[in-house]
Amino acid sequence: MGRIIRSQRKGSGGIFKSHFTNKKGKIKFRVYDKSEKCGYIKGIVKKIIHDPGRGCPVAKIQFSNPYNNKKSTYNYLAVEGMFTGQNIFCGKKAQLNLGNVLPLKSLPEGCICCNLEQKPGDGGKLGKTSGNYITVINHISMFKTRIRLPSGIKKIISSDSRASIGLVAGGNRIDKPMLKAGNSFYKYKAKRNCWPIVRGVAMNPVDHPHGGGNHQHIGHPSTVKKDAPPGKKSWFNWG
């Protein structure tokens, strides 16, 4: 048997871990407290910044603490049309305006939203990439809502999960071609070690099960079950 192939090496992390040195922090909603569950709280967009390795811009929103005189700043996803100085209202009784954060039970059917919580209070997990959005299909009951994800999959989640109104900014990012390898180099330098990708058939037999031969060919059927572990997909008869 030859070396451990790339897909197997990625499992333990190592040099394939995310590059987070210059990140601007986590993108998540403020704590789901009583002010949001029963009413609303106002925040101000202080500035919109770029987060290295992230396709969409990030909005820094400042809230006044309802329990003391301190102010706290959170990183939210910038929605299309958001601007500096805009007032953002978060809570059950907030108006249905661009950038506001409301629970699903307060959104009408057909509403477009983004940065949706998978479970109430987790800060936002779904629909976070640039240009994407989530559509509210219908309310099944007081506690469950059916949504459509950007992939087209329909999902039923809690009606208490919060979401931002609108679609994520930066939607035309992929319309501009990369044009040269140097642009891809700096793009993935900010993300993680996942570029360039060398094909297995272009390697030597010691490096990959697909390597070697007088012509670049796999040498056996490449069909394999989708839940196969790393290494099994290319090593057809191994293990």
Side-chain angles (χ1 to χ4, degrees), residues 133-206:
Y133 59 90
I134 293 173
T135 307
V136 178
I137 299 177
N138 63 339
H139 298 286
I140 300 174
S141 64
M142 293 178 58
F143 312 104
K144 295 293 181 181
T145 300
R146 181 181 283 111
I147 61 170
R148 181 186 291 110
L149 298 176
S151 62
I153 294 177
K154 296 177 182 177
K155 191 179 180 72
I156 298 175
I157 62 174
S158 172
S159 297
D160 290 325
S161 298
R162 296 172 294 172
S164 295
I165 307 299
L167 52 91
V168 187
N172 296 327
R173 175 174 53 89
I174 60 176
D175 290 350
K176 181 181 178 181
M178 299 300 290
L179 292 180
K180 56 183 184 178
N183 290 339
S184 292
F185 172 81
Y186 287 109
K187 173 185 177 180
Y188 290 103
K189 182 182 179 182
K191 290 178 177 286
R192 70 200 72 84
N193 179 20
C194 62
W195 185 91
I197 300 175
V198 180
R199 294 169 297 133
V201 293
M203 299 181 186
N204 292 323
V206 69

Side-chain angles (χ1 to χ4, degrees), residues 29 32 116-126 155 157-158 160-162:
F29 296 136
Y32 201 14
L116 175 63
E117 293 179 328
Q118 198 158 6
K119 296 179 180 179
D122 65 11
K125 302 290 184 183
L126 306 174
K155 191 179 180 72
I157 62 174
S158 172
D160 290 325
S161 298
R162 296 172 294 172

Side-chain angles (χ1 to χ4, degrees), residues 42-47 60-63 85-88:
K42 187 180 83 169
I44 300 176
V45 179
K46 302 301 287 185
K47 57 182 176 179
K60 285 194 168 292
I61 302 180
Q62 188 181 78
F63 292 93
Q86 179 181 353
N87 289 332
I88 300 296

Side-chain angles (χ1 to χ4, degrees), residues 1 95 157:
M1 191 174 73
Q95 291 185 347
I157 62 174

Side-chain angles (χ1 to χ4, degrees), residues 17-64:
K17 292 179 182 177
S18 174
H19 299 169
F20 55 85
T21 304
N22 297 321
K23 298 283 186 177
K24 303 303 180 184
K26 289 186 176 181
I27 307 297
K28 59 188 304 184
F29 296 136
R30 61 185 300 278
V31 179
Y32 201 14
D33 55 7
K34 187 176 180 181
S35 60
E36 288 200 34
K37 291 180 180 179
C38 300
Y40 65 87
I41 186 171
K42 187 180 83 169
I44 300 176
V45 179
K46 302 301 287 185
K47 57 182 176 179
I48 298 176
I49 59 175
H50 168 67
D51 188 13
R54 187 184 296 274
C56 58
V58 175
K60 285 194 168 292
I61 302 180
Q62 188 181 78
F63 292 93
S64 296

